[in-house]
Amino acid sequence: MRFVVATLFPELVNNYVKQGVVGRAVNKGIVGVETIDIRSFSTNKHRTVDDIPFGGGAGMVLMPEPVAQAIESAGTMSRTVLLTPSGRQFRQADAEAWSQLDSILLVCGRYEGIDQRIRDDFVDDAISIGDYVLSGGELGALVVLDATLRLVPGVLGNAQSVQSESYSDSLLEHPHYTRPAQWRGRDVPQVLLSGHHGKIAEWRRLKALQRTAALRPDLLKEACLTRKEKAQLANHSVVNGPEET
Ligand code: SAH
């Protein structure tokens, strides 16, 4: 998969993708990450890419021509996505869908954002990573890059770890424990030491349901629940059940 980020700060992206899971995938050639420096498409001798907003007001706006040229320089892309706080919220389902694409181009804004005509005519989608305003799209692009690339087959060592993760079936994931079994007066739940895989799976599912019901009840609407689980939720026995069993 080819992942391209158009930005005024390519080094922010290039440095991130040298590390960890994404860095290993890039080194192995499973995914390719490229950056395009929007400033290199400046049309004036001062290399500026921003100008004052029509209609007045504070701040500067990224001019359309350098951004359009940056987008065009990437060539044909499966998907071109603008990062903006006024976009729809990026979700795990997007990461899953986009991990199947051949190529994706993310366009990062700075200042007050990018001239609207880019959003109108040059991108397929506009997404936000959350309800807050960042000073640039690069952190958002890295969030999307990381969440997406780790789902590309071969990027994570253990493909199974993706399956039970938070959001993958609209539930938050169950808690994790490692050694030591007793630590500072706190014991690991007994069932996890039992070696009984059926019971462990049941416990993990219950914990995932309890957590989701307590912290993100909105997610339950989309979750695939058994009839028994729905009934448990309806009479609150999941939420109010014993914390550790
Ligand atoms: N004036 C704009 C904010 C611009 S912030 C507004 O009020 O909507 C500058 C750039 O940071 C944006 O162009 C966008 O690329 C990026 N950015 C800021 N917050 C973001 C968010 N929550 N999600 C994705 N990108 C964001």
Side-chain angles (χ1 to χ4, degrees):
M1 182 186 192
R2 184 171 168 236
F3 211 105
V4 187
V5 183
T7 165
L8 285 173
F9 295 97
E11 284 314 300
L12 288 177
V13 176
N14 291 335
N15 281 326
Y16 182 80
V17 303
K18 287 179 194 152
Q19 313 282 328
V21 162
V22 173
R24 271 199 305 279
V26 170
N27 285 339
K28 282 199 217 152
I30 301 170
V31 297
V33 179
E34 300 158 39
T35 47
I36 297 174
D37 185 354
I38 295 173
R39 196 173 297 283
S40 68
F41 297 96
S42 167
T43 51
N44 61 58
K45 67 173 191 292
H46 304 293
R47 282 177 49 91
T48 54
V49 288
D50 56 315
D51 208 336
I52 53 171
F54 277 124
M60 300 296 273
V61 178
L62 263 166
M63 293 186 282
E65 185 58 25
V67 179
Q69 285 190 25
I71 292 172
E72 285 162 350
S73 77
T76 307
M77 303 298 291
S78 311
R79 192 72 55 94
T80 300
V81 179
L82 176 70
L83 275 303
T84 165
S86 63
R88 69 178 178 83
Q89 186 153 343
F90 178 71
R91 302 196 66 189
Q92 185 69 10
D94 297 305
E96 280 161 16
W98 294 354
S99 69
Q100 320 268 324
L101 298 175
D102 289 334
S103 56
I104 184 162
L105 169 61
L106 299 184
V107 183
C108 302
R110 278 272 158 177
Y111 319 117
E112 287 305 316
I114 302 176
D115 187 291
Q116 175 66 24
R117 290 166 287 186
I118 292 295
R119 185 165 177 172
D120 293 341
D121 298 332
F122 285 80
V123 303
D124 307 306
D125 210 345
I127 55 142
S128 161
I129 59 157
D131 292 347
Y132 36 77
V133 179
L134 302 163
S135 48
E138 293 74 17
L139 285 174
L142 289 174
V143 165
V144 172
L145 175 149
D146 192 285
T148 303
L149 290 187
R150 65 195 288 287
L151 299 178
V152 171
V155 170
L156 282 189
N158 180 0
Q160 257 197 326
S161 65
V162 170
Q163 280 164 19
S164 68
E165 272 181 341
S166 295
Y167 304 114
S168 58
D169 59 358
S170 297
L171 291 181
L172 302 179
E173 203 188 33
H174 56 78
H176 295 279
Y177 296 88
T178 185
R179 285 181 283 193
Q182 277 144 16
W183 177 76
R184 298 197 181 197
R186 301 266 287 150
D187 291 349
V188 167
Q190 205 53 40
V191 61
L192 296 178
L193 312 177
S194 69
H196 191 303
H197 296 300
K199 286 220 166 81
I200 291 171
E202 213 173 281
W203 180 88
R204 286 180 167 163
R205 177 81 182 170
L206 177 68
K207 288 289 153 188
L209 280 170
Q210 283 181 340
R211 231 184 209 181
T212 313
L215 301 174
R216 291 293 306 276
D218 56 302
L219 291 176
L220 288 173
K221 286 196 278 297
E222 292 160 36
C224 270
L225 304 180
T226 65
R227 207 176 291 168
K228 185 177 156 203
E229 287 167 345
K230 280 185 193 150
Q232 282 176 318
L233 281 171
N235 68 21
H236 300 291
S237 64
V238 164
V239 189
N240 302 324
E243 225 344 82
E244 310 289 13
T245 47

